[in-house]
Amino acid sequence: MLAGMSSYPRYALYYMPDRSSELYRFGARTIGYDAFTGKEVAFPPDLLHGQPDWRELTNDPRRYGFHATLKAPFSLRSDMTEADLLAAIEEFSGQGRVIPVIAPVVRSIGSFVAIVPSEPNSDLNALARDCVVGFDGFRAPLTPQDRARRNHDALTPAQREHLGRWGYPYVMDDFRFHMTLTGSLPAPRREVISAMLKTSFLALNVATLVIDKLALLKQEHEHSRFEVVALYDLG
C-alpha cells in the first residue's frame, strides 16, 4: 500500500431493512443495486420514463447500497480482523436497548433526497452514538487521502472535531438518520424528483419503521460496491 493511501477492504455499520420487505425492494430498485446479492437491479420503468438520466443521478447511492449509516466506512486496524469485528457486532446486537421506532418520510436533505424520520428520535440518536463509540477501536486512523475526501472548509468547527476524533464529521449532535435515494441533484430538479419519490414511497404505506437490525457491509477495493457480510437483529 502506498503511503497515505486508504487501505482496503473497508467496512461500515448500517441499518438495513429486511431484504424481503417492500421498503428494501423499493430502495434497491430506486438506486439500482441490491447489497445483499451484490448485483444491480432494474429501475422502475416510470422512473426511467420521467428521468432518462436516472442511472447517473443514482451513481453515488448505488456504491453503498440502500441503507442508513450508523458507523461510516472505515479500514480495520492492522491488529484487528473481520472475525473480531463480527464477534463484537454480535455481542453489541444482543445487548438490551430500546429499539427505535420512526415515522419515515421522503424529504430533501441538502442536495439529495432520502427517507428520514418525520421528527427527531432520541433512541435512534443513542443507537448511532453507541455504534460510533463502541466500534471505534476497530477503525484505522484516517490517512491524508481520507481527510482530503472531505471538504474541510465546508465543515463546522464541531464537524472538523468529529472528523479528527471519530473519522467522520456527521456524528453525535451532527448525526441525521437518512436512507439515501439519489445523488446530488441540481436545484431545479430536486423538487420534482422529491415529489415523485414521495408519491412512490407513500404507495408502500409504511407508517412506522422499526430500527431493529444492524448490518455489516464490506467494500473490497476502491472501485467495488459495498456488500452485506452479516445482518443482526438488535435486542
Side-chain angles (χ1 to χ4, degrees), residues 154-180:
L155 300 178
T156 67
Q159 289 165 354
R160 294 190 195 105
E161 185 176 341
H162 294 328
L163 179 63
R165 174 62 185 87
W166 305 110
Y168 191 63
Y170 307 112
V171 297
M172 308 308 173
D173 290 343
D174 287 286
F175 169 73
R176 297 293 181 270
F177 181 94
H178 60 278
M179 307 181 75
T180 306

Side-chain angles (χ1 to χ4, degrees), residues 14-71:
Y14 292 163
Y15 163 73
M16 296 180 71
D18 189 277
R19 65 188 301 180
S20 64
S21 67
E22 284 204 25
L23 175 60
Y24 183 74
R25 290 196 293 268
F26 166 78
R29 291 187 71 203
T30 299
I31 67 173
Y33 174 63
D34 184 345
F36 284 99
T37 64
K39 297 179 179 178
E40 292 193 357
V41 294
F43 298 118
D46 59 328
L47 275 181
L48 289 177
H49 178 74
Q51 310 291 334
D53 59 345
W54 189 252
R55 182 174 182 82
E56 289 70 37
L57 297 179
T58 51
N59 274 336
D60 190 54
R62 194 158 47 251
R63 184 183 183 194
Y64 298 94
F66 179 59
H67 75 283
T69 298
L70 295 173
K71 177 74 172 173

Side-chain angles (χ1 to χ4, degrees), residues 11 75-85 137-140:
Y11 296 87
S75 302
L76 277 181
R77 273 175 30 187
S78 59
D79 59 339
M80 294 292 183
T81 68
E82 182 178 303
D84 294 331
L85 181 56
F138 290 90
R139 180 178 61 85

